[in-house]
């Protein structure tokens, strides 16, 4: 495999932010919850190649680890997330994201990684189903609250 250097970008920071957010709130950072967090923050969903590239850069950079079907921010990833997600010094989530992007290392080599994250069609389908189930649960809670 060719050794190519890639710099971190805003989308990579968004991935780490989504994983850190899930962890902070006691949720497993499954692919579905990561999609949900990204959609809630940025009203977007990453393309599969962007997702794989970003997750692999975060993995090789030592910011995340993968355990079965969930992503976990490492001590370094949590520290950067905590430092960047401070509402006392940032007006909104986008300022936090730009701060986090600036804190990520400038370059990481993904060419010689012993482990590589590959997202399959089945994983995308399961993540989409999980995301929709969470949305339905939220809507049901809102409807129950409004009915009272």
């Amino acid at each position: 495999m060719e050794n190519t250097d890639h710099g971190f970008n805003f989308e990579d920071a968004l991935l780490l932010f989504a994983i850190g957010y899930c962890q902070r709130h006691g949720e497993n950072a499954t692919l579905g919850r990561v999609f949900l967090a990204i959609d809630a923050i940025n009203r977007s969903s990453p393309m599969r190649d962007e997702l794989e590239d970003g997750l692999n850069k975060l993995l090789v950079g030592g910011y995340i680890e993968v355990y079965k079907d969930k992503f976990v921010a490492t001590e370094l990833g949590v520290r950067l997330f905590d430092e960047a997600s401070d509402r006392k010094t940032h007006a909104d989530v986008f300022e936090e994201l730009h701060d986090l992007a600036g804190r990520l290392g400038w370059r990481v080599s993904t060419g010689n990684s012993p482990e590589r994250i590959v997202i399959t069609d089945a994983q995308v389908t399961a993540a989409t189903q999980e995301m929709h189930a969470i949305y339905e649960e939220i809507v049901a809670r809102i409807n129950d609250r409004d009915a009272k």
Side-chain angles (χ1 to χ4, degrees):
M1 180 180 292
E2 181 181 331
N3 188 345
T4 307
D5 286 331
H6 299 278
F8 287 99
N9 58 38
F10 179 82
E11 289 76 19
D12 303 331
L14 184 56
L15 280 169
L16 181 57
F17 195 93
I19 293 166
Y21 184 87
C22 289
Q23 277 182 233
R24 178 179 284 172
H25 294 281
E27 299 289 343
N28 287 327
T30 61
L31 193 56
R33 290 200 179 273
V34 169
F35 280 170
L36 188 64
I38 290 172
D39 182 49
I41 294 167
N42 204 38
R43 302 280 190 249
S44 67
S45 294
M47 301 296 291
R48 184 182 305 177
D49 60 337
E50 295 171 327
L51 182 65
E52 288 177 352
D53 187 51
L55 289 171
N56 281 300
K57 286 190 285 185
L58 293 170
L59 177 69
V60 172
Y63 300 107
I64 66 168
E65 294 175 342
V66 182
Y67 294 101
K68 296 188 181 183
D69 64 343
K70 67 179 181 175
F71 305 98
V72 178
T74 62
E75 185 178 328
L76 174 61
V78 169
R79 182 175 52 81
L80 293 182
F81 172 75
D82 287 344
E83 290 171 358
S85 61
D86 179 4
R87 285 293 163 94
K88 294 176 185 167
T89 57
H90 299 95
D92 60 29
V93 70
F94 291 102
E95 282 190 15
E96 294 175 4
L97 281 165
H98 285 288
D99 185 358
L100 182 58
R103 292 171 187 271
L104 289 171
W106 285 104
R107 304 188 79 64
V108 64
S109 172
T110 59
N112 295 323
S113 174
E115 180 178 4
R116 183 134 178 92
I117 298 168
V118 176
I119 307 297
T120 65
D121 289 341
Q123 288 172 306
V124 171
T125 299
T128 303
Q129 291 170 343
E130 178 185 16
M131 188 173 73
H132 287 293
I134 294 167
Y135 276 135
E136 288 175 6
E137 181 182 323
I138 291 168
V139 169
R141 287 181 186 175
I142 291 170
N143 289 337
D144 287 346
R145 183 197 67 204
D146 290 347
K148 292 180 182 180

